[in-house]
Amino acid sequence: MTDTRLDVAETLKTLPAWRPHDGDRAAISRSLKFADFNAAFGFMTRVALMADKMDHHPEWSNVYDRVEVLLTTHDADGVTDRDVTLARFIDRAAADMGAIS
């Protein structure tokens, strides 16, 4: 499967909760806050199951009630439709699970 690299600025117009990654590569990121650790971990579990089905895994970290997510497609050296699909799933899961930000 070949992924076509997308323009990050154009992509972010359709993903208002996401921002460009401040780093040395093309990526998008989002910070989320939940009620507590259990809610944050539950969110990560839900996303992990979908990411595994997609064979497209986020770079992320969790500290207590916060989850930081970074999406990029390494093979394309940037953001692709796979990142957008996973970002939209993350947005829905975050809303369903009561993410604050």
Side-chain angles (χ1 to χ4, degrees), residues 41-62:
F41 196 82
F43 163 80
M44 291 179 75
T45 301
R46 186 170 173 183
V47 172
L49 292 170
M50 176 56 76
D52 203 47
K53 285 180 187 176
M54 293 177 63
D55 194 28
H56 189 58
H57 305 91
E59 294 179 35
W60 55 10
S61 64
N62 164 243

Side-chain angles (χ1 to χ4, degrees), residues 8-79:
V8 172
E10 287 299 312
T11 300
L12 290 175
K13 289 179 182 177
T14 67
L15 298 168
W18 294 78
R19 65 182 188 278
H21 172 62
D22 295 328
D24 60 349
R25 61 194 157 134
I28 57 175
S29 62
R30 181 169 181 197
S31 298
L32 298 132
K33 183 176 180 190
F34 294 88
D36 55 24
F37 176 76
N38 285 335
F41 196 82
F43 163 80
M44 291 179 75
T45 301
R46 186 170 173 183
V47 172
L49 292 170
M50 176 56 76
D52 203 47
K53 285 180 187 176
M54 293 177 63
D55 194 28
H56 189 58
H57 305 91
E59 294 179 35
W60 55 10
S61 64
N62 164 243
V63 177
Y64 184 59
D65 61 350
R66 296 187 181 274
V67 177
E68 301 289 330
V69 183
L70 181 121
L71 297 176
T72 189
T73 302
H74 297 282
D75 292 344
D77 196 30
V79 177

